[in-house]
Amino acid sequence: MIPTRIRAVGLGVLLVMLLAGCTASVPDGPGDWPAPPADRPVVDVAFDMAPDLASATGTETVRFTPDRQVCELVFRNWPNKPTAARDGSALEITGARVGDTALAPQIAPDPTLVTLPLPACVPAGTAITADLTFRLTLGKDSGERVGYSPATGTAWFGTAFPLLAWVRGEGWVRDAAVDLYGEAATSEDAALTLSVTAADGQEVVATGTATGTASPAPGHVTHRFTAEAVRDAAVSVGAYAVTTREVRGVRVHVATPRSGSRATGDEWIDELDLALERHGTLLGAYPYTDLTATIVPTQTDGVEFPMALQFADDRRAEIPGLVAHELAHQWFYSLVGNDQARDPWLDEAFATWAQALATGQEDRYRLDRIPRGLRGRTGEPMEYWARTGDFTRYVRGVYDQGAAALLEARRHAGADRFDAAVRAYLQDNAHRVAGPADAATAFRDVPEALEALRDAGALPAG
């Protein structure tokens, strides 16, 4: 996610030539990244949209093999987090089964946290298949990642199905859903099959590669998508104009409201093309085959999902920074995951660092500009930043300070050494949920980076 205050960048930046010095080899395409784990979860999700786009019913099948004994299943219903719930969004599990056994959902005081006790504990290495039904309510004119707009006849929703909260090597993840804008979800990569049934004539774009349509009933169309390895998903439905173009080997789809937007689909694709080139040079090839972007009329910034982005309907001059930041999350959060509630800096600081380099904004991120009271706080969890309810403090302490530390380390270590370490971090942790120790391992031969991250509080001292 990128806050409004750090997005703006002049049109002249379009002429900036990127990143001399990145000489280490990088992946040339999605197939050059490490393969996802063969035993990753398999998730099948289906949404059936209401005619007014204000709600949907759904089904979900999850098949996974835990690496330790489990006596319950844990899912996260992220549309229930405070900032989304205030806008009227909600997600409810209406039924759950494992085999022939019905499970009774237990809702914690945290409304995003749902526990399904199993009739008997299941040993490590034993496959579990759970079947769920759910109901999704979309907030009217929401500024969050889940919402719908009656005026434009559009709906958008991400992380809007019960999300399996399992991380191999750690177990169930139960981070608190704090009252602060920003991402807090944590999940493993999964093989995804996604279907969305909507009224005939409504466009549907979503995470994954489109695999065809079917007509389950007169006046309705089911749109199907698949993805080899994604840890989350997003969908957009309604009166959209969809512009599709292949750029740099990636099929890019941009959905703009038919009612109009400040920039055209082709203009958004031009910016995505430029950002794909620059991030590809720095980080390695875009890790997927497709990329979808939806322009959301009621949002003020951007939100990232694997293979999918949501963008505010921005003025033309603000688009480059917005695109560069959100696209960078396809490497930092999508390809390499992190616990976004516990370690938000691992995706936001790296994404802001990549944005700064791609847009020539390095001078915007300097350690001497960080307020004294925020210095050394980059590694704090979302819960810490939510205590004050001040999103700006979170931005300054995590996004800005983290990016400034990375840029400072890059200047002292040299671009070649530093960038090679970042690429090693991506290669070594692709399709995993990484932690600060993994970043420290990647920078073990770049002491300038370790020192800068320790001073910023992203890594423990010593």
Side-chain angles (χ1 to χ4, degrees):
M1 184 176 191
I2 182 170
T4 305
R5 60 165 293 279
I6 70 172
R7 290 192 271 140
V9 59
L11 289 174
V13 79
L14 298 179
L15 300 178
V16 174
M17 298 304 293
L18 175 70
L19 302 174
C22 296
T23 56
S25 62
V26 296
D28 293 325
D32 294 321
W33 289 102
D39 60 349
R40 64 193 178 280
V42 177
V43 177
D44 300 319
V45 180
F47 294 94
D48 190 349
M49 301 300 302
D52 62 358
L53 302 179
S55 64
T57 55
T59 62
E60 178 179 5
T61 298
V62 176
R63 294 180 290 276
F64 86 111
T65 303
D67 57 350
R68 60 182 64 185
Q69 176 179 280
V70 296
C71 301
E72 61 194 0
L73 304 179
V74 177
F75 290 86
R76 303 305 296 263
N77 287 358
W78 285 109
N80 299 335
K81 70 175 186 172
T83 53
R86 276 198 298 271
D87 286 347
S89 296
L91 179 61
E92 177 189 7
I93 295 177
T94 55
R97 306 184 71 85
V98 170
D100 295 328
T101 304
L103 306 180
Q106 297 181 355
I107 312 299
D110 181 338
T112 71
L113 183 59
V114 182
T115 301
L116 302 174
L118 294 170
C121 294
V122 176
T126 303
I128 303 172
T129 298
D131 294 293
L132 312 178
T133 58
F134 61 88
R135 179 175 177 81
L136 171 67
T137 302
L138 308 180
K140 181 181 177 181
D141 295 324
S142 175
E144 261 282 1
R145 65 184 60 205
V146 179
Y148 79 108
S149 167
T152 63
T154 59
W156 57 93
F157 45 97
T159 326
F161 58 94
L163 192 69
L164 185 71
W166 182 262
V167 174
R168 67 185 66 218
E170 296 185 28
W172 301 117
V173 180
R174 306 173 194 262
D175 300 304
V178 299
D179 193 355
L180 189 72
Y181 282 97
E183 295 77 20
T186 304
S187 57
E188 288 275 6
D189 262 358
L192 175 70
T193 300
L194 174 64
S195 65
V196 182
T197 300
D200 191 12
Q202 292 181 334
E203 293 286 351
V204 177
V205 295
T207 288
T209 299
T211 59
T213 60
S215 298
H220 292 79
V221 179
T222 299
H223 305 254
R224 297 193 178 99
F225 305 84
T226 61
E228 182 180 6
V230 292
R231 61 188 77 251
D232 197 351
V235 176
S236 300
V237 186
Y240 289 107
V242 179
T243 305
T244 296
R245 197 164 85 220
E246 183 168 317
V247 296
R248 307 190 186 281
V250 180
R251 291 183 295 270
V252 179
H253 319 270
V254 174
T256 56
R258 292 177 193 160
S259 56
S261 56
R262 287 174 167 171
T264 67
D266 277 315
E267 287 174 323
W268 282 101
I269 292 178
D270 288 344
E271 286 298 338
L272 288 163
D273 182 9
L274 183 63
L276 283 165
E277 176 190 8
R278 293 177 172 179
H279 288 337
T281 301
L282 177 65
L283 306 171
Y286 175 74
Y288 310 101
T289 56
D290 289 74
L291 173 65
T292 294
T294 298
I295 311 310
V296 179
T298 57
Q299 285 185 353
T300 59
D301 45 47
V303 188
E304 71 279 2
F305 308 91
M307 303 178 72
L309 305 169
Q310 295 174 354
F311 290 135
D313 187 13
D314 265 350
R315 293 185 297 272
R316 187 68 182 80
E318 296 176 324
I319 291 176
L322 175 63
V323 166
H325 183 94
E326 300 304 342
L327 185 65
H329 279 300
Q330 298 301 308
W331 288 262
F332 304 107
Y333 157 70
S334 295
L335 178 65
V336 175
N338 61 294
D339 185 323
Q340 293 183 299
R342 185 189 65 202
D343 308 309
W345 77 271
L346 274 175
D347 62 296
E348 295 299 356
F350 275 108
T352 307
W353 167 79
Q355 168 205 339
L357 291 172
T359 57
Q361 293 176 308
E362 295 99 314
D363 195 53
R364 293 173 63 92
Y365 303 98
R366 288 173 36 185
L367 291 169
D368 59 6
R369 293 180 178 173
I370 303 301
R372 189 173 300 275
L374 300 181
R375 294 177 187 176
R377 296 290 189 180
T378 296
E380 297 286 358
M382 290 284 286
E383 192 170 22
Y384 171 87
W385 301 105
R387 289 173 197 159
T388 64
D390 188 344
F391 188 70
T392 300
R393 283 174 54 83
Y394 170 53
V395 171
R396 297 288 281 143
V398 175
Y399 291 63
D400 295 5
Q401 184 173 198
L406 293 170
L407 289 164
E408 181 76 6
R410 188 176 190 262
R411 282 190 288 269
H412 285 109
D416 285 357
R417 287 177 62 222
F418 187 90
D419 297 346
V422 173
R423 290 194 288 271
Y425 169 74
L426 292 169
Q427 283 280 341
D428 292 345
N429 296 285
H431 305 296
R432 293 185 57 243
V433 176
D438 298 299
T441 297
F443 285 122
R444 62 186 177 275
D445 295 325
V446 188
E448 300 91 340
L450 295 175
E451 180 181 2
L453 290 172
R454 286 168 182 154
D455 288 346
L459 297 177

